[in-house]
Amino acid sequence: MKSLFKTLTVLLLVSCTGHGQFDYAPSMEHACWLDVQDSLVVSISPYDGSRDTLYINNVYERVVCMSSTFVAGFAEIGAIDAVAGVSGLRYISNQDVHAVEVGSDAALDYEAVLGLQPDVVLTYGVAAAKPEYEQRLNELGVRTFRLYDHLEVSPLGRSEYLKAYGAMTGRRAQADSLYKVICESYESLTVRTDTPVKVLINAPFGDAWYIPCEDSYFSHLVKDAGGVILGSQPGVGSAVISRETAFVLSQQADLWLNPGRGQRPDFIPRMPTYDNTLRTTPEGGNDFWERGAIRSDLVLRDLVSIFSGRTENLEYYLEVK
């Protein structure tokens, strides 16, 4: 649910690629809201353009992660031991994580956080204002640092946050090397075609059916895999369509992605259907939103395989019968 809430907040955002008033251009290759220099990491707010700077004077050995994507980032560069505390530990897919549960942003266990004596608590932002738990931690002398990886529209931009985790833990070389591998893999998989696969995506959420806009994260993935999301509109974030519109789109679709685990709408015709829930935990965690956010090349590989009809050995997707 937390991942879904974070995803839906994109409805309110602009991107750094000319869609809004914040035109800050960091020195990163694909990330918009992050900059990593020799001795500092800069986070740029997509909401108001404000910046926060984390100075790297020493190796950070004890980090608290309020998002599972941060955990995955540290794990990918071999720095999982630096993760001392986690929000939502029971939802984490990685079995190598041995950290303390610190509670959620709405009910943080301040005693647990203070007991860990963290070098920094990494948070995520869903608004310009600093939430109450961050203010309280700062009052208690705990350094917090907010990252906006979930608001990057470029898949490789999300992967590039590896550089921040590398800077914090003294593993810059490992982070840079892995990021290069991901980029090369992603670019080698990218499909360019004049006849894209037509994709129906998502399913009703309450009374709303959300469709990623043309410049959104998932639209970029689908396009790079050789597909197009039916009903997508200009902009970032998502737009809402009616059930009637979804029915019309379904008549044109070649396949359906991400219907979720709810009851299949009876007005949607049968077609090849795949959901990104192959790697889920019994408690409801989903590695698609954990490691998949870092390894954009693996997600793209799945989509390319699905669109081409070669669906053996998928990493994150399973066929819905």
Side-chain angles (χ1 to χ4, degrees):
M1 185 60 68
K2 179 169 66 176
S3 295
L4 176 61
F5 176 69
K6 289 167 63 178
T7 302
L8 295 182
T9 61
V10 181
L11 284 164
L12 305 175
L13 299 178
V14 296
S15 82
C16 66
T17 55
H19 296 282
Q21 60 181 318
F22 310 123
D23 238 359
Y24 179 77
S27 61
M28 308 293 275
E29 293 180 35
H30 295 94
C32 290
W33 311 120
L34 178 74
D35 200 8
V36 179
Q37 301 293 338
D38 289 340
S39 59
L40 53 84
V41 178
V42 181
S43 183
I44 306 97
S45 170
Y47 299 99
D48 59 11
S50 62
R51 307 174 196 177
D52 190 12
T53 300
L54 187 67
Y55 294 95
I56 311 298
N57 299 318
N58 299 293
V59 172
Y60 286 7
E61 298 179 343
R62 302 184 65 77
V63 178
V64 171
C65 297
M66 298 300 292
S67 171
S68 62
T69 59
F70 307 156
V71 177
F74 286 110
E76 285 297 295
I77 61 172
I80 194 62
D81 289 344
V83 178
V86 173
S87 173
L89 182 61
R90 67 184 183 277
Y91 300 116
I92 298 296
S93 300
N94 190 332
Q95 297 300 305
D96 293 328
V97 176
H98 303 290
V100 173
E101 171 62 57
V102 299
S104 67
D105 46 3
L108 194 67
D109 186 339
Y110 294 99
E111 184 175 347
V113 174
L114 292 173
L116 291 171
Q117 297 183 321
D119 297 305
V120 67
V121 175
L122 297 181
T123 69
Y124 61 89
V126 296
K130 182 180 291 188
E132 181 179 348
Y133 83 95
E134 283 191 46
Q135 297 180 41
R136 179 60 177 154
L137 284 174
N138 295 159
E139 292 170 358
L140 292 170
V142 178
R143 178 68 162 100
T144 61
F145 190 67
R146 200 183 308 183
L147 294 174
Y148 299 95
D149 61 316
H150 61 294
L151 301 182
E152 298 283 353
V153 298
S154 163
L156 288 175
R158 297 191 181 193
S159 299
E160 198 166 12
Y161 278 65
L162 284 167
K163 295 179 180 179
Y165 310 131
M168 294 177 198
T169 58
R171 301 183 72 86
R172 290 176 183 268
Q174 292 88 337
D176 290 345
S177 177
L178 177 56
Y179 176 67
K180 181 179 179 181
V181 168
I182 293 172
C183 286
E184 291 176 349
S185 174
Y186 191 99
E187 290 162 3
S188 71
L189 289 164
T190 300
V191 175
R192 298 298 178 220
T193 178
D194 294 328
T195 56
V197 175
K198 296 186 287 294
V199 177
L200 178 69
I201 196 165
N202 296 339
F205 182 73
D207 294 328
W209 189 307
Y210 291 95
I211 301 291
C213 290
E214 292 173 358
D215 285 322
S216 68
Y217 164 75
F218 205 82
S219 286
H220 282 294
L221 279 169
V222 170
K223 180 181 179 180
D224 290 341
V228 61
I229 295 177
L230 296 175
S232 188
Q233 301 177 22
V236 298
S238 301
V240 178
I241 63 172
S242 65
R243 294 169 68 90
E244 292 76 16
T245 299
F247 171 74
V248 172
L249 295 177
S250 70
Q251 305 301 306
Q252 309 166 28
D254 297 312
L255 56 85
W256 186 11
L257 285 180
N258 303 349
R261 292 187 170 183
Q263 184 174 359
R264 183 189 186 103
D266 55 13
F267 63 87
I268 299 297
R270 290 287 170 182
M271 69 180 82
T273 304
Y274 296 87
D275 198 33
N276 58 1
T277 53
L278 177 60
R279 297 176 62 85
T280 56
T281 69
E283 292 78 11
N286 188 344
D287 199 38
F288 180 88
W289 298 112
E290 189 176 323
R291 186 175 184 238
I294 297 294
R295 293 302 304 266
S296 55
D297 58 324
L298 300 183
V299 176
L300 181 64
R301 187 180 66 188
D302 271 12
L303 294 177
V304 170
S305 297
I306 291 169
F307 293 174
S308 63
R310 302 187 303 270
T311 56
E312 303 84 7
N313 302 317
L314 296 178
E315 189 80 24
Y316 296 108
Y317 276 85
L318 53 80
E319 186 172 7
V320 179
K321 303 293 186 179

